[in-house]
Amino acid sequence: MEQTKLYQKISSRLGELEKFSPMKEDMSIAQLMDDKGISRRDFMKWAAGMTAMLSLPASFTPLMAQAAELTDRLPVVWLHMAECTGCSESLLRTDAPGIDSLIFDYISLEYHETLMAAAGWQAEHNLSNAIEKYKGKYILMVEGGIPTKNDGMYLKIGPQAHTGLSIAQEAAESAAAIFAIGTCSSFGGVQAAYPNPTGAKGLSKVTDKPVINVPGCPPSERNIVGNVLHYILFGTLPALDAYSRPKWAYGLRIHDLCERRGHFDAGEFVQEFGDEGAKKGYCLYKVGCKGPYTFNNCSREKFNQGTSWPVQAGHGCIGCSEPDFWDAMGPFEEPLGNRLYHTLYGEGADKTADKVGVALLSATAVGVAAHAAIAAVKGAPKTDES
Ligand code: SF4
Ligand code: SF4
């Protein structure tokens, strides 16, 4: 019953959206897919995957397909702050764009500094025009951390040298929905790493408006497009975790659905890159994987049209979707426990966990480190056959 009501509610919302004139009159999703050789069947398969990712019943797949077809009804303003532009680049530079990338192309980007032809005064004019014309209706996506020290003077943009801080605040004021794209915009990113000389912060720290964080370095295109589709379907904020990340994408740890998890549980670890354990696909915790502390869906959704992800390729997760990961998760190729407990016991946690005693090891970080240590102490299968 609830399901039927929700279906009808979404259906009527999409019906309303459909009445808006398309912002890309010369293009439709069907045509775009056709041009790229993507069949309707593949498109519907993609819509079914997206429906499952947003934790909706499979019967909502036609609504998801319809929402994707309506992504050109909502204007998007995309701002760049202090960052490497990697989040945009990862979406734009793929040589074999999947359906997620094509949808991103189809979204009506009214302002995007990397993509637009305009520069200088014209670009500045385009931005204020878009904000004025679509007041209260546009989706704001911000990439990059916001320098705040000395009134934001460490980031000035355009011929009038407005600060990134003032531009982001003004754009946020009139937006219908706001997404902080990437870890820099969500939490400050590398700019905010110690000693953070520019006072860089995440977007949510400089505006009173609700901000949905979509962290990752870069975030997957699926998570970006999924958020837009969620907004089109519901018009409301998704359920968020303590760091304002949508739970449908960031509700589980990398570790929870990792394909190497069986090896972690069996105490089978890669001891160093290139050893026998690495060849056998053993768990990467001891060579620095931060999957047990990182909330994201990489192990389920993967990258590059779902073909692979860092752990599958043989390197541990570096925790890029967590706040302050540059400071908190390093060194990237050592277990977190080693760094955290080095000063406490004079040795890494992997070596000291057995001395401390399992009863004391209740915190997750310590517990995971202890598991790795105990596996070694008990003579769990060695990774180096020599
Ligand atoms: S520690 Fe890393 S490699 Fe090992 S199971 Fe967890 S996420 Fe996978
Ligand atoms: S596997 Fe970890 S480091 Fe890699 S993208 Fe996902 S969250 Fe970031």
Side-chain angles (χ1 to χ4, degrees), residues 67-386:
E69 284 162 356
L70 294 175
T71 46
D72 71 336
R73 304 299 206 273
L74 292 175
V76 173
V77 169
W78 184 297
L79 298 179
H80 288 281
M81 296 286 133
E83 32 91 16
C84 66
T85 314
C87 300
S88 287
E89 293 286 337
S90 72
L91 275 164
L92 301 169
R93 298 291 177 216
T94 168
D95 67 344
I99 296 178
D100 300 304
S101 306
L102 292 176
I103 301 271
F104 182 73
D105 272 353
Y106 186 64
I107 288 171
S108 182
L109 287 166
E110 286 301 302
Y111 181 89
H112 189 299
E113 283 151 14
T114 314
L115 294 176
M116 64 192 188
W121 292 100
Q122 185 60 51
E124 217 164 61
H125 178 71
N126 288 359
L127 176 59
S128 39
N129 237 8
I131 291 177
E132 195 47 45
K133 185 168 167 197
Y134 301 111
K135 209 169 196 156
K137 295 193 185 110
Y138 60 87
I139 296 179
L140 175 66
M141 295 194 168
V142 177
E143 184 177 348
I146 324 264
T148 60
K149 209 180 248 181
N150 298 338
D151 295 327
M153 67 169 285
Y154 297 105
L155 176 65
K156 296 216 171 170
I157 301 169
Q160 295 188 67
H162 292 307
T163 61
L165 176 64
S166 63
I167 294 171
Q169 285 171 329
E170 191 193 339
E173 209 45 49
S174 311
I178 306 173
F179 298 101
I181 302 295
T183 295
C184 299
S185 185
S186 299
F187 307 125
V190 68
Q191 299 73 217
Y194 180 81
N196 192 1
T198 65
K201 292 183 177 171
L203 181 65
S204 62
K205 297 282 191 275
V206 304
T207 173
D208 296 337
K209 297 292 188 112
V211 174
I212 299 169
N213 287 331
V214 190
C217 192
S220 70
E221 54 196 13
R222 262 184 113 62
N223 285 355
I224 298 175
V225 171
N227 270 300
V228 174
L229 291 173
H230 186 282
Y231 181 72
I232 290 177
L233 290 167
F234 294 96
T236 54
L237 293 183
L240 300 174
D241 73 2
Y243 294 119
S244 297
R245 300 176 292 199
K247 282 189 181 166
W248 60 260
Y250 299 89
L252 291 176
R253 296 174 308 166
I254 296 288
H255 189 60
D256 295 328
L257 297 177
C258 177
E259 65 230 33
R260 298 186 189 231
R261 177 60 187 266
H263 293 298
F264 175 90
D265 292 340
E268 295 170 336
F269 296 100
V270 174
Q271 306 290 342
E272 60 182 60
F273 290 111
D275 70 4
E276 277 307 308
K279 289 177 198 154
K280 288 177 174 168
Y282 283 0
C283 168
L284 298 162
Y285 175 77
K286 287 194 173 183
V287 286
C289 184
K290 307 300 185 297
Y293 323 106
T294 305
F295 289 80
N296 204 339
N297 55 4
C298 311
S299 44
R300 189 181 60 205
E301 302 298 333
K302 306 188 176 181
F303 288 81
N304 300 329
Q305 293 93 60
T307 50
S308 190
W309 67 295
V311 166
Q312 185 176 336
H315 196 282
C317 163
I318 62 172
C320 79
S321 53
E322 292 302 308
D324 303 324
F325 87 98
W326 289 101
D327 293 325
M329 297 288 190
F332 292 138
E333 291 177 353
E334 282 178 27
L336 186 58
N338 273 354
R339 188 183 62 77
L340 276 181
Y341 300 100
H342 181 81
T343 47
L344 275 179
Y345 302 111
E347 288 179 281
D350 283 349
K351 288 183 193 144
T352 57
D354 53 321
K355 295 181 199 162
V356 179
V358 179
L360 295 175
L361 306 176
S362 54
T364 311
V366 186
V368 172
H371 172 84
I374 289 162
V377 169
K378 283 186 177 168
K382 284 200 163 147
T383 52
D384 187 342
E385 286 184 342
S386 65

